[in-house]
């Protein structure tokens, strides 16, 4: 059986080399860049817009912008943060307006369920847990949700996320910290996930040393 | 006792221990701190579970792919990129130049005719007025009012009568001549 070769795996050149080759009119180099980042940008657009056709348009528009900006692009190492930043901006421009109800992020997960191993009850249970978690992510604010999506779905580290959202790494850490705390609070209501509820912080418990206690013998003993 | 506690300063590091991937030294220091700090121990333990739940939930989406071809990008960009040779753009430049020349010529012609008094049409209002009058005169009177109007329009022009130079003799004098009475003081007319 003939397997389809991944076009992105064929070109081992770095993004820097591919950008300079595409600038000289090498369409193969631009295609290699396209195949390398196509799926990641599609997933990012899908996570923000929740609409596969809009995500595909975002991929096309992102690379169209990259093509127009080839003469100005100076990627040091990776083109990914620049492309993702453009894709995020385009995705938020296409984001559904208030009042327009689209499917949730978890409803975009359709095909992989059929491929999972295990009993039908296990598959249904996993799908339910996934729905719970993605529903909780949906309830986050846009900034916190974007950081979670970029890290957990697109696999960007915190430095790359800082480049994409154009803010310091400390801000990204703060947003992710807040998002994880909120998610913990939401998901603690479902014991099947094994997440404990947030404990109230008691200053005396944390800061004041416990008094030393010792048994005092009672009189007559 | 503090009323508003902000918690341990290492709590954020504990929550991000699975996402930020600290190096070995930082990891050992954090775990040593979490062993003695209740809040950081709790955060480290539960952050791992939240992290695992998120990775599990996003894993099917991470495998999601698209089949868009790069040809769609070329279509979106358009044929502009192919015309990089300046000689290929020359015909378009000549066409655009001709358009601009025609536009400037028409504008100059319009401006020059607007301010040239000899080219302006003369007595257009009088011609319009005479046409209307001739038409109304030609119409038969249909009602009393129209008849009166028709009469008024067909009345002989006063100005032409006044300017009539026909002069009739009256008593040896023309009627139009001013009569001057000459009075000689102390003298008889004879």
């Amino acid at each position: 059986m003939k397997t389809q070769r991944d076009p992105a795996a064929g070109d081992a050149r770095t993004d820097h080399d591919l950008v300079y080759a595409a600038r000289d009119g090498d369409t193969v180099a631009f295609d290699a860049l396209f195949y390398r980042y196509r799926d990641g940008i599609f997933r990012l657009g899908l996570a923000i817009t929740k609409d596969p056709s809009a995500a595909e348009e975002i991929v096309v528009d992102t690379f169209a912008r990259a093509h127009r900006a080839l003469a100005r692009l100076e990627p040091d190492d990776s083109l990914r943060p620049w492309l993702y930043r453009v894709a995020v901006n385009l995705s938020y421009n296409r984001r559904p307006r208030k009042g327009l109800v689209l499917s949730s992020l978890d409803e975009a997960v359709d095909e992989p369920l059929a491929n999972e191993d295990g009993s039908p009850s296990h598959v249904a249970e996993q799908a339910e847990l996934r729905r719970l978690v993605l529903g909780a992510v949906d309830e986050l604010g846009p900034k916190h949700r974007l950081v979670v999506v970029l890290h957990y779905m697109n696999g960007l580290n915190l430095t790359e996320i800082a480049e994409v959202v154009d803010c310091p790494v400390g801000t990204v850490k703060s947003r992710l910290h807040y998002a994880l705390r909120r998610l913990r609070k939401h998901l603690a209501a479902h014991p099947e996930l094994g997440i404990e509820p947030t404990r109230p912080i008691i200053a005396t418990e944390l800061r004041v040393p416990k008094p030393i206690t010792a048994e005092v013998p009672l009189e007559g003993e | 006792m503090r009323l508003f506690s902000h918690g341990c300063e290492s709590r954020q590091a504990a929550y991000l221990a699975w996402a930020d991937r600290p190096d070995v030294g930082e990891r050992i220091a954090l775990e040593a701190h979490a062993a003695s700090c209740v809040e950081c121990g709790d955060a480290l333990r539960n952050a791992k579970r939240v992290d695992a739940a998120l990775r599990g939930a996003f894993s099917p989406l991470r495998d999601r792919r698209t089949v868009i071809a790069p040809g769609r990008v070329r279509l979106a960009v358009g044929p502009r990129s192919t015309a990089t040779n300046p000689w290929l753009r020359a015909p378009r430049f000549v066409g655009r130049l001709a358009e601009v020349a025609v536009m400037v010529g028409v504008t100059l012609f319009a401006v020059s005719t607007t301010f040239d008094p000899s080219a302006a049409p003369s007595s257009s209002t009088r011609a319009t007025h005479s046409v209307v009058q001739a038409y109304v005169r030609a119409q038969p009177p249909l009602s009393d009012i129209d008849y009166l109007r028709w009469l008024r329009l067909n009345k002989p022009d006063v100005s032409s009568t006044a300017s009539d130079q026909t002069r009739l003799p009256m008593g040896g004098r023309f009627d139009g001549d001013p009569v001057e009475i000459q009075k000689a003081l102390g003298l008889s007319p004879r």
Side-chain angles (χ1 to χ4, degrees), chain A residues 9-137:
Chain A
D11 208 319
R13 288 181 284 180
T14 62
D15 288 356
H16 183 269
D17 297 338
L18 288 173
V19 165
Y20 274 85
R23 195 179 292 177
D24 293 336
D26 185 359
T27 54
V28 177
F30 188 78
D31 290 356
L33 281 173
F34 179 83
Y35 286 123
R36 189 172 288 178
Y37 295 115
R38 174 185 66 175
D39 293 325
I41 292 171
F42 172 74
R43 288 191 288 265
L44 179 60
L46 182 64
I48 295 174
T49 64
K50 302 171 189 173
D51 181 5
S53 59
E56 288 189 350
E57 287 177 12
I58 286 163
V59 173
V60 172
D61 289 350
T62 302
F63 279 97
R65 285 197 181 189
H67 193 276
R68 291 191 196 106
L70 272 177
R72 291 179 278 118
L73 278 179
E74 292 288 344
D76 295 329
D77 183 27
S78 173
L79 192 62
R80 187 162 67 165
W82 188 89
L83 287 173
Y84 277 35
R85 194 187 313 162
V86 174
V88 166
N89 292 333
L90 290 172
S91 303
Y92 276 110
N93 288 341
R94 285 172 185 268
R95 202 171 45 165
R97 299 284 182 265
K98 283 183 180 177
L100 182 65
V101 179
L102 283 179
S103 60
S104 176
L105 188 62
D106 55 314
E107 288 176 26
V109 186
D110 41 7
E111 301 97 349
L113 286 177
N115 300 328
E116 286 190 18
D117 298 329
S119 63
S121 62
H122 178 73
V123 171
E125 188 182 342
Q126 291 299 312
E128 178 62 19
L129 290 178
R130 192 177 298 135
R131 194 187 62 78
L132 284 174
V133 175
L134 294 178
V137 172

Side-chain angles (χ1 to χ4, degrees), chain B residues 13-153:
Chain B
Y15 265 105
L16 299 180
W18 308 99
D20 197 14
R21 310 273 178 191
D23 57 24
V24 179
E26 289 174 342
R27 185 60 181 256
I28 291 172
L30 182 63
E31 288 185 0
H33 170 75
S36 60
C37 177
V38 178
E39 189 185 1
C40 289
D42 175 66
L44 196 63
R45 189 171 55 252
N46 285 286
K48 184 181 181 181
R49 293 170 185 164
V50 174
D51 184 84
L54 283 170
R55 289 187 193 283
F58 277 107
S59 61
L61 285 169
R62 225 176 288 131
D63 297 333
R64 184 113 185 199
R65 291 174 180 275
T66 180
V67 289
I68 312 171
R72 275 186 67 176
V73 178
R74 292 195 198 98
L75 278 176
V77 170
R80 183 172 49 182
S81 59
T82 58
T84 51
N85 190 348
W87 291 107
L88 293 176
R89 286 183 287 178
R92 197 167 54 183
F93 175 73
V94 170
R96 194 65 61 85
L97 194 65
E99 283 177 17
V100 171
V102 168
M103 199 165 59
V104 169
V106 168
T107 306
L108 286 177
F109 175 74
V111 169
S112 63
T113 52
T114 302
F115 292 107
D116 187 7
S118 63
S122 61
S123 67
S124 58
T125 54
R126 287 184 64 187
T128 308
H129 180 68
S130 66
V131 166
V132 171
Q133 278 193 339
Y135 173 77
V136 175
R137 278 192 187 109
Q139 298 303 310
L142 298 175
S143 63
D144 295 344
I145 294 176
D146 289 341
Y147 180 72
L148 290 174
R149 285 178 183 160
W150 183 79
L151 272 182
R152 194 167 57 187
L153 282 170

Side-chain angles (χ1 to χ4, degrees), chain B residues 8-19:
Chain B
C8 182
E9 292 175 355
S10 301
R11 189 176 56 171
Q12 178 173 313
Y15 265 105
L16 299 180
W18 308 99

